[in-house]
Each structure stands twice: as C-alpha cells, then as structure tokens.
Amino acid sequence: MYLVSPLRHLGSRGSCSKLFVGGLSYDTNEPVLKNEFEKYGEVLHVRVICDHRSGKSKGYGFVVFDSEEAAATALSSMDNQLLEGRHIRVEYAQPKRGLPQNQN
C-alpha cells in the first residue's frame, strides 16, 4: 500500500490553504463545519454553499486555513470521515473555470 502525502499537489498548484468539502448533510451549517475543521489549525473562513432561491444547503462548502500545513493535515484527517451522518469528501479547492484565480 502506498501512502501519498496531501502536500504532493502544492508544487504544481502553488499555495493551497483552501479546501473543498463535499457530501455534506443538508443540515450541516458553517459553525458545525468550522468546529470540525478547527481541530487541525486556525480556520480563517468557512462557507456552506446554499441555493439562492430556497436558502437550503447544496451539500458542499469551503474551509480556508491560515496555513498550507493545517489544510494538508485537515485533508488527510477528514477525507471520507463521517460528519453528521454523511461521509464527506475533502479535496484542495480548484479555481472556478473561466474566472481569474483567487489567492484563497
């Protein structure tokens, strides 16, 4: 079995302290997400994405850490873990297609 470090992507992608979190329960809110992820380092920003019309969660969000190391630790620790009854997927966030790349 090969272990692959979450830091492997940093060389080609540059600084990455923003994580995508998918598979969230529709009841998971930003305080719950922050509470789970701040165990791995200082969380600067958390956002659960909601539908503009209904206001209900779309089942995914983003967590921004103060360091790449904290993000890497959170990614390796939280990916495929159970959160509020759902197995979540944690990845490095990708810039939106067609938009200029943001630092966070």
Side-chain angles (χ1 to χ4, degrees):
M1 180 171 158
Y2 293 99
L3 294 178
V4 181
S5 168
L7 294 172
R8 71 190 181 282
H9 297 294
L10 293 179
S12 62
R13 297 193 52 224
S15 173
C16 192
S17 59
K18 183 175 184 178
L19 300 177
F20 167 85
V21 185
L24 295 174
S25 163
Y26 296 116
D27 296 323
T28 301
N29 58 30
E30 292 171 355
V32 168
L33 199 57
K34 181 177 182 182
N35 184 57
E36 287 299 316
F37 278 82
E38 67 187 358
K39 298 171 186 173
Y40 305 101
E42 184 178 349
V43 173
L44 300 178
H45 182 73
V46 174
R47 182 155 183 224
V48 173
I49 306 304
C50 296
D51 180 78
H52 294 296
R53 292 187 182 180
S54 69
K56 294 185 179 188
S57 169
K58 289 187 172 185
Y60 68 94
F62 297 92
V63 178
V64 179
F65 284 91
D66 71 334
S67 71
E68 295 172 8
E69 293 80 14
T73 301
L75 186 152
S76 63
S77 299
M78 291 296 293
D79 188 37
N80 203 35
Q81 295 301 306
L82 203 60
L83 177 62
E84 295 197 324
R86 303 277 309 261
H87 283 97
I88 61 172
R89 188 175 83 252
V90 182
E91 303 172 355
Y92 287 109
Q94 301 290 322
K96 283 187 177 181
R97 294 182 185 133
L99 294 178
Q101 190 170 357
N102 188 348
Q103 292 293 357
N104 287 331

